[in-house]
């Protein structure tokens, strides 16, 4: 089978995490370099699967985003396990081809294989859905000699309280800006464009408090210190559970001398709950990613994100700032309900909310979502809409994989205008200053955790390295840093962190704008698609 001697009962498993698109707003490789890392975060899914395998099986991990995959890595193994998200599809297929050329079978899984299994017919075995719900069946079949097949878990049935501690020991911590853990799966909201509820359901399932603390114990015992990200798609999906967890997390931090500080993703209704925000602040949460998506109420209603319509979005963001956590946010251009240019309203919202790091993308219709099914029924999805085999572009440049209602060129020009304005150095620096005015770190952890190698040189040294790389932004960013030192010294290291992210976002936004210019030139304006507008008065739809 393997072409080499393997002790009885031992299976050698090579886990390979595929490369994301060469460039992306989310990759910020140059930002990583400033703090001595190679990539933002580690492959939590694969190391969780590794923990589900029999203890007699030997596991190695190669992350293609941080290191090369050698032939010897593959020939060592009895099987290669791989898989990831849509924008890893191209490299996943390359890994399958390379492993087959060296005579090794490939097991593929992950969210893209689960959503688009037909794209992975080249794999020998497909393990679809949440691994905990099907891995034992796969293992039994492998031990019985099966080397082909498809194994699919029942949807939303996995009891995450039985999920083991991930194999953090497989990671090379110095390669990453932060390490991820997961507390819950699922989200109670029904955003039309989102695949989370399709993959994990609308009823958030949470791990036990003891489980989560055991994961932190494992990280701590391995010597990791610093930034830990709760990768949950909505940490506060089950508020009752998370409010019971956070005090225990605070007690754990007290016992261990604050070795970690945390970030996560949450829905904007977090801003309604002062108690919850205070508990997160006390547990060393310093950053929250929030999906804002659009400034337009009709658009938010159509996409079934009405939780964002019941509030002033800037005021909600400012309330989170008052609790010591800065916000990064997601925005999307290209929804059917856009009645005209959305550029100015979106720019104004980003400025009013004082969100320095705004991830703006073109709408991408994933087939296994409410949006994908609606567009398919309307005959509007492009051929190959779920194919990403070329590996060109990302959610920014590869978006709009459907016939738009608004002329495509208008949407592209809006998108370009937003990027141009928000990532112009003076505008970015101005938002940093406003953040310095709003971010209250007076009751939060003042210094980075002892032993966090990313801050071994200090914020000022990091900023100097950043400014050397982007001289066109030097004066603006240096001015923002000096303002923060004077106005809000407790926030300086977070301002420096966002400057490090800008080291990637600034230049990359110009690269994306160039790609958008080429798309506009290649596809001159055409009449809007003749498709009836969806009913925008679906006020009673569940949220």
């Amino acid at each position: 089978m393997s072409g080499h001697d393997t002790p009885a009962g031992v299976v050698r498993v090579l886990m390979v995490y595929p490369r994301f698109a060469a460039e992306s707003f989310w990759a910020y490789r140059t930002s990583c370099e400033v703090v001595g890392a190679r990539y933002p975060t580690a492959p939590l899914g694969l190391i969780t699967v590794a923990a589900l395998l029999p203890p007699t099986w030997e596991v190695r991990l190669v992350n293609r985003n941080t290191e090369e995959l050698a032939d010897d890595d593959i020939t060592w193994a009895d099987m290669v396990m791989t898989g990831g998200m849509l924008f890893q599809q191209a490299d996943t297929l390359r890994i399958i081809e390379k492993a087959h050329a060296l005579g090794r079978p490939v097991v593929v899984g992950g969210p893209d294989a689960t959503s688009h299994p037909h794209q992975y017919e080249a794999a020998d075995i497909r393990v679809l859905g949440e691994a905990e719900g099907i891995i034992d069946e796969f293992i039994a079949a492998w031990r019985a000699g099966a080397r082909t097949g498809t194994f699919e878990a029942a949807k939303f049935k996995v009891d995450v309280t039985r999920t083991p501690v991930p194999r953090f020991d497989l990671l090379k911590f110095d390669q990453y800006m932060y390490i991820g853990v997961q507390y819950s799966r699922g989200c109670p909201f029904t955003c039309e464009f989102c695949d989370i509820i399709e993959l994990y359901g609308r009823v958030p399932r949470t791990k036990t408090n003891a489980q989560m603390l055991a994961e932190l114990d494992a990280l701590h015992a391995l010597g990791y210190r610093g930034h830990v990200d709760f990768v949950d798609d909505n940490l506060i999906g089950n508020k009752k559970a998370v409010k019971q967890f956070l005090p225990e997390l605070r007690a754990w931090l007290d016992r261990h001398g604050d070795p970690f500080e945390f970030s996560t993703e949450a829905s904007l209704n977090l801003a309604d709950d002062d108690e919850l925000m205070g508990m997160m602040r006390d547990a060393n949460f310093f950053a929250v990613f929030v999906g804002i998506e659009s400034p337009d109420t009709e658009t938010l209603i159509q996409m079934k994100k009405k939780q964002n319509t019941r509030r002033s979005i800037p005021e909600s963001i400012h309330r989170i700032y008052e609790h010591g956590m800065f916000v990064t946010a997601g925005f999307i251009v290209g929804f059917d309900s856009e009645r005209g240019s959305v550029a100015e309203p979106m720019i104004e919202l980003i400025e009013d909310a004082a969100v320095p790091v705004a991830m703006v993308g073109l709408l991408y219709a994933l087939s296994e979502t409410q949006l994908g099914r609606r567009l398919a029924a309307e005959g509007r999805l492009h051929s190959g809409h779920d194919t990403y085999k070329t590996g060109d572009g990302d959610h920014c440049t590869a978006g709009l994989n459907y016939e738009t209602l608004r002329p495509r060129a208008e949407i592209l020009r809006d998108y370009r205008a937003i990027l141009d304005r928000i990532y112009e150095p003076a505008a970015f620096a101005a938002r940093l200053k406003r953040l310095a005015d709003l971010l209250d770190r007076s009751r939060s952890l003042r210094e980075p955790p002892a032993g966090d190698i990313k801050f071994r040189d200090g914020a000022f040294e990091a900023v100097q390295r950043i400014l050397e790389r982007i001289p066109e932004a030097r004066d603006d960013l240096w001015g923002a840093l000096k303002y923060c030192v004077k106005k809000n010294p407790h926030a300086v290291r977070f301002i420096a962190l966002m400057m490090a992210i800008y080291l990637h976002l600034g230049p990359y936004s110009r690269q994306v704008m160039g790609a958008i210019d080429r798309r506009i030139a290649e596809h001159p304006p055409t009449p809007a698609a003749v498709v009836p507008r969806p009913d925008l008065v679906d006020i009673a739809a569940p949220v």
Side-chain angles (χ1 to χ4, degrees), residues 18-19 82-85 88-97 106 108-109 120:
R19 284 195 186 110
T82 189
M85 293 184 272
Q88 294 171 284
Q89 186 183 109
D91 198 52
T92 304
L93 297 176
R94 284 193 289 266
I95 292 164
I96 295 171
E97 183 178 359
V106 180
V108 69
Y120 297 93

Side-chain angles (χ1 to χ4, degrees), residues 136-153:
D136 288 343
E137 185 178 329
F138 158 70
I139 291 168
W142 180 273
R143 283 173 162 165
R147 296 297 179 265
T148 60
T150 298
F151 303 84
E152 186 166 6

Side-chain angles (χ1 to χ4, degrees), residues 182-202:
Q182 184 182 60
Y183 173 66
S184 66
R185 294 181 197 166
C187 179
F189 298 113
T190 60
C191 303
E192 186 190 36
F193 59 88
C194 184
D195 65 344
I196 295 305
I197 56 175
E198 311 290 339
L199 291 167
Y200 305 119
R202 286 193 59 202

Side-chain angles (χ1 to χ4, degrees), residues 112-113 115-122 126 128 367-368 385-387 389:
D112 192 48
S115 297
H116 309 121
H118 60 284
Q119 299 287 3
Y120 297 93
E121 293 176 351
R126 295 176 294 184
L128 310 179
S367 55
E368 293 304 313
H385 61 273
D386 58 359
T387 300
K389 295 179 180 178

Side-chain angles (χ1 to χ4, degrees), residues 418-450:
I418 294 165
L419 293 183
D420 188 24
R421 290 272 294 280
I422 67 171
Y423 286 121
E424 191 273 330
F428 185 82
R431 293 200 301 279
L432 289 180
K433 291 179 180 178
R434 285 195 291 278
L435 177 61
D437 290 333
L438 296 165
L439 186 64
D440 182 3
R441 294 285 303 174
S442 63
R443 292 174 290 173
S444 302
L445 188 68
R446 301 290 178 88
E447 300 296 328

